[in-house]
Structure formats: C-alpha cells, structure tokens
Amino acid sequence: MSTAQEIKNEMIAVKNNESALQDLNSDSKVSIWNLLFFIVAVCVGDLRKQFASHREYVEDYLYNQKSGTLPWYRNKALEFQYGFDLREGTDKFNDEAATGEQIEASKIIKYATASNGAQRGSIVIKVATEKDGKLSTIEPGQQDALEAYFEEVKWAGREITIINHLADKLYLDLRIYRDPLILDADGVSIRKGNKPVEDALNEFMKELPFNGELVLQSLVDKLQLVEGVRIVHVLKVKSSSLDPTTDAYGEPQVIEVSKIPASGYFEIETFDNISYVVSN
C-alpha cells in the first residue's frame, strides 16, 4: 500500500511532465500547490485503504459463505442457536421475538473447525464452548440439538461427525535452567512472587488456535522469553485424548515435534514435572 508521500511524489512527477503546470515551481513546503498535493495524497491513500478493506471483506465473505464448503460448515456451527428452531425451508434461526441478550446466550459454540473425515463424503466438526474462561465441552443435550441442526442444514449425502470431547491432556516434563538472581528453586519470581514459567505456559495454551498444531519448538521459544529462564530443556512431552467409546483417556503418547489435539484443544495436566536448576 502506497504511503501519502509516495502518492504525492507520483502527482509531482505528473505535474513536472505537464507544460501547463510549469509555473507551480515553488520549493516551499507550505506553498499552496504543495499543501494541496499533500491533502489529495492523504485522501487518495485513505480511499485505497477503504477499497482494499472492502475487497478483503467481500472475498472473505464469499469464501466462508459458499454453501457446502468446510468454512461454511464451521460457520454453521458457530451460528448454532440452542433453544431456537429454524425458519421453515431455510438454514436461518427464527429469533425475531428474542432479545439481543437471549440470542447471544443461545450461541453456545465459541470454537469450531471442520475437516474432511476418513470416509469419502464425511465431515468432522470439532466444537467447544467456554466456561470460567476455559475451553470446555457443550452439554449432552446441547450436542443432541446441534446434531439435529446439522441433519437439517447439511448437504444431502454428507455424513457429519461432531467431536465434543474433553481437552486432550498434555504432560510436560521440562528442565528449566534458571537465573538464581531472578527465579528461586521452585520457579518463583523473587521480585514478583509469581511463577512466570507456568504463567507463560498458560498464555501459550490460550494463544494456540482451536484445533491448531502444538509445535514444541514454539513452546520452547515462548519460555525462552521468560525473565530468569536461561535454557529450556524438553525432556519429554506426551498427550492423551479421550476415547469416546470407553469415556476414558488413552495411554499418553510422546509428541516428537508437533501434534494436533483430537478434541481441538489441550489442557496441561500438571506443572509438577517442571524442574528448576542452576546452570554451571
């Protein structure tokens, strides 16, 4: 995107090539023609930004609203309104008689993603809501309503699987080489009294996109920015996902490089396996 000065320079170049404008030759920065060129350049730059923003909005809208695509299924999950019925023959909810607060409260799906399933023609939709500031599952009755909703709005022939599982458990085994002037042996900030490594890990989990890939190197990079942390040594990282057939977590598996959570999100099981040592 051109700056106002670049646009002004283009205008000056055109002026210099126009013989009828040769008298506009004052070098003063406050000359009338100079100031007018600057004003026009700012307005043109702002107009270009508006056009670019509008184009981005339209392209995004068309991409996400195209029926039957994966983004469309994701958006449909986010649009779901618990407790409301659909208008006859449409995929829109009949909520004209509801208040804004009631409508907002009915939108229980806060996070969603859609992907192709293992079987041809199948779609897997992962969903989660938010409780007490943390990602969480929706209630069984809410899932029943969500599944009935997709039966009505889905494209014919599509098999929809809703993934509404508890968070994948994340097991961290880390050795933090600390600066003893900043962090004590328990990882507590001597000056502030908090545990900055644990705070950074919680922040990292919040920053991770729903159904996003957890990359161990990114986790290390995050911890390396913590004051008092000299070296982050990853001894072992494992994760375990819920088996819906047994309603129990499976055996934790080692994450070598990265992992996408089966539920769409992770939850750190414990911080007890983080040790703090002083480097020699």
Side-chain angles (χ1 to χ4, degrees), residues 243-258:
D243 184 343
T245 61
T246 62
D247 201 30
Y249 281 90
E251 186 69 22
Q253 302 296 312
V254 175
I255 300 177
E256 298 288 352
V257 178
S258 63

Side-chain angles (χ1 to χ4, degrees), residues 191-204:
R191 186 173 75 256
K192 299 179 181 178
N194 65 319
K195 288 191 171 183
V197 169
E198 294 183 15
D199 291 344
L201 286 168
N202 285 327
E203 190 176 89
F204 178 80

Side-chain angles (χ1 to χ4, degrees), residues 2-13 15 24 26 28-47 49:
S2 300
T3 64
Q5 186 59 52
E6 289 171 337
I7 296 171
K8 181 182 175 184
N9 290 341
E10 293 176 13
M11 296 168 64
I12 292 174
K15 175 191 76 70
L24 300 179
S26 173
S28 174
K29 292 183 178 180
V30 294
S31 63
I32 297 299
W33 76 266
N34 213 322
L35 293 175
L36 285 174
F37 273 31
F38 174 74
I39 292 171
V40 173
V42 170
C43 293
V44 170
D46 185 61
L47 190 60
K49 289 178 183 178

Side-chain angles (χ1 to χ4, degrees), residues 107-136:
K107 294 181 178 181
I108 58 174
I109 307 299
K110 305 302 181 183
Y111 305 89
T113 185
S115 59
N116 289 313
Q119 300 297 322
R120 185 178 180 85
S122 65
I123 293 177
V124 175
I125 300 175
K126 296 181 183 180
V127 298
T129 189
E130 201 170 80
K131 296 177 182 177
D132 300 323
K134 293 184 178 180
L135 274 71
S136 179

